Amino acid sequence: MTNRLSAREILDKLVSFPTVSHDTNLPLIDWAEAYLGSHGIATYRHPHETAPDKAAMFAHAGPDVAGAVVLSGHTDVVPVEGQPWSTDPFEVVEKDGLLFGRGTCDMKGFDALAIWAMVEAHYAGVRRPLQIALSYDEEIGCTGAPPLIESMNKVLPKGSAVIVGEPSMMGAVTGHKGGTGFHVHVRGFEVHSSIMHTGANAIMYGAKLIEWANEMNAENMAGQPGELDAVFEPPWTTVHVGMIEGGTAHNITALDCRFGLDFRFVPGDSSEDWTARARAKAAEIEAEMQAVVPETYIEMKEFFGVPALKPEEDGEAEGLVRRLTGDNAARVVSYGTEGGHFQNAGYSTVICGPGDIAQAHQPDEFLSVAQFEAGQAFMEKLIEMLKG
Ligand SMILES: [Zn+2]
């Protein structure tokens, strides 16, 4: 495999691998490694810590020096089950200027451009290096990025500016909220409701924690947004309960109540701080329950945590994308990305990728040919810049 593929041919190849988050992504990683390797680019693999059928990969093109521009993408896609697709989701089908297929928009379009750009940069003899980082498990809580970044930093000269290619219509996106979600389990004690004072109703104690969420939302809304936070809509941290279940019958105090408790943080707030506050409130409610029935408890299990991407002052990555795209609009988004993880690891980070987030995760997901071409033009300019 020494032929040089077009970006479009690479996209066709990537979409053909059904890398849904709960399935393997190894065929895609194998292929990308073999393709880059066939052009003389050394690649590195980071195996998943617990799932042997998943891996991340990264590579470096150009001189062996620090300061690379890093192209960051995820290889996993969301499921297609239950979605009415008019075409085979794992084949790129072009129709009326649109490229249909699962992941064309989110985000194999960018992945394809990044792989293409690595080969171009390699042959162009860039003076400033280009790196690629392809992760797993982004769609299930951005959990693949931290081990990938750690692994990269052990092997490659450290890059300085990261472009996360989530769909932004090739505009510069400089910030997003962070998120943390908990599965809450309140374990109560069952008695006949006529003597409820001797039991512990898990639903009614759980409701106290939910009411705390309401209070926090009202308090946050009434507060003055910080300078970093004012650009978000809404410009405050929100706490949300979207699912709840519990109870056995109307005349039994509920033994169990389970619900989700999700935070979306503005950059000025920290996940640690809000997590601590939620846990403190749960502990307070738990103490009340245990005063009645000692074996009751409240358990909070974190099931995802995505750090916010904070808009940077004179950020290098932002400056670079603005120079290459001419886009000067201030823009933040409401979806989470791996960008916050890179930023926390010391990289200047910006989001810029082809396609509209509105098409992500949809049946008949598509990326327009025009956006894909705009993405390729961006990569060409980037390589010119790296040639210095
Ligand atoms: Zn994505």
Side-chain angles (χ1 to χ4, degrees), residues 227-275:
E227 204 184 320
L228 274 180
D229 308 336
V231 289
F232 289 88
E233 175 56 35
W236 61 83
T237 292
T238 56
V239 200
H240 183 247
V241 177
M243 293 224 298
I244 185 165
E245 62 174 30
T248 313
H250 77 97
N251 56 359
I252 303 174
T253 58
L255 177 63
D256 292 298
C257 177
R258 291 183 169 84
F259 55 92
L261 188 70
D262 292 1
F263 292 85
R264 286 185 187 276
F265 309 102
V266 287
D269 283 4
S270 85
S271 160
E272 292 73 21
D273 182 38
W274 277 102
T275 299

Side-chain angles (χ1 to χ4, degrees), residues 6-320:
S6 68
R8 175 58 203 281
E9 286 168 323
I10 298 173
L11 176 64
D12 289 353
K13 196 71 204 173
L14 297 184
V15 170
S16 76
F17 299 110
T19 51
V20 177
S21 307
H22 55 68
D23 290 327
T24 182
N25 75 340
L26 291 184
L28 185 154
I29 295 293
D30 288 343
W31 181 85
E33 286 179 346
Y35 180 66
L36 291 172
S38 74
H39 291 285
I41 299 170
T43 62
Y44 304 87
R45 181 179 287 218
H46 175 78
H48 195 289
E49 287 77 12
T50 53
D53 60 347
K54 291 183 192 176
M57 67 143 285
F58 50 92
H60 178 104
D64 206 18
V65 295
V69 172
V70 184
L71 303 174
S72 149
H74 59 83
T75 60
D76 58 325
V77 295
V78 294
V80 296
E81 283 88 20
Q83 292 190 335
W85 278 78
S86 346
T87 59
D88 176 356
F90 299 109
E91 185 191 330
V92 178
V93 176
E94 183 170 347
K95 221 168 33 183
D96 304 325
L98 305 176
L99 303 166
F100 291 91
R102 170 56 85 222
T104 49
C105 174
D106 184 11
M107 59 181 292
K108 290 178 172 175
F110 181 84
D111 294 344
L113 293 169
I115 291 172
W116 179 82
M118 286 294 289
V119 173
E120 297 301 308
H122 175 70
Y123 288 120
V126 289
R127 284 163 57 180
R128 182 178 173 186
L130 184 66
Q131 294 179 350
I132 186 173
L134 296 179
S135 70
Y136 50 74
D137 288 355
E138 191 274 347
E139 296 291 4
I140 48 176
C142 294
T143 51
L148 164 64
I149 295 166
E150 205 187 312
S151 194
M152 267 175 87
N153 281 334
K154 280 185 196 145
V155 182
L156 298 183
K158 184 156 180 180
S160 60
V162 176
I163 301 170
V164 178
E166 290 285 346
S168 72
M169 294 299 282
M170 293 311 297
V173 170
T174 58
H176 61 68
K177 286 187 180 182
T180 305
F182 295 92
H183 291 306
V184 182
H185 175 202
V186 184
R187 170 48 73 96
F189 188 77
E190 281 181 311
V191 295
H192 192 279
S193 61
S194 61
I195 49 163
M196 63 179 281
H197 64 291
T198 63
N201 186 318
I203 295 175
M204 295 177 80
Y205 281 105
K208 293 187 181 209
L209 189 55
I210 297 171
E211 182 49 21
W212 172 83
N214 284 322
E215 287 163 14
M216 291 305 106
N217 284 327
E219 207 173 278
N220 291 349
M221 187 171 154
Q224 197 56 33
E227 204 184 320
L228 274 180
D229 308 336
V231 289
F232 289 88
E233 175 56 35
W236 61 83
T237 292
T238 56
V239 200
H240 183 247
V241 177
M243 293 224 298
I244 185 165
E245 62 174 30
T248 313
H250 77 97
N251 56 359
I252 303 174
T253 58
L255 177 63
D256 292 298
C257 177
R258 291 183 169 84
F259 55 92
L261 188 70
D262 292 1
F263 292 85
R264 286 185 187 276
F265 309 102
V266 287
D269 283 4
S270 85
S271 160
E272 292 73 21
D273 182 38
W274 277 102
T275 299
R277 290 171 77 172
R279 287 195 184 280
K281 185 66 195 178
E284 182 190 314
I285 299 165
E286 187 181 63
E288 275 179 51
M289 294 169 75
Q290 289 177 343
V292 186
V293 184
E295 62 261 43
T296 58
Y297 58 85
I298 301 180
E299 198 175 62
M300 283 177 61
K301 276 197 188 137
E302 184 174 329
F303 72 101
F304 78 89
V306 179
L309 178 67
K310 304 171 189 69
E312 299 166 12
E313 206 155 316
D314 295 320
E316 186 199 347
E318 175 185 351
L320 188 149

